[in-house]
Amino acid sequence: MCVGQTPPPPGPPPPGLLPIDGGVLCGAAFAIFYGVKKLLFRKYNN
């Protein structure tokens, strides 16, 4: 009877992948602020 070996666990992901962190939140907040500003100034200019 043969006993097989289990494969080693996978390692960490390779470096170079872009993490989702505070930069995404900052960009989303800026986009919302910019959109609201554009909507408000469009109302005042008409």
Side-chain angles (χ1 to χ4, degrees):
M1 180 174 269
C2 295
V3 178
Q5 294 180 345
T6 60
L17 300 176
L18 296 176
I20 298 176
D21 57 358
V24 173
L25 295 177
C26 183
F30 176 75
I32 291 171
F33 173 75
Y34 182 73
V36 169
K37 180 181 169 189
K38 291 290 275 188
L39 286 174
L40 288 176
F41 280 118
R42 186 177 70 172
K43 288 180 182 179
Y44 289 129
N45 289 334
N46 286 337

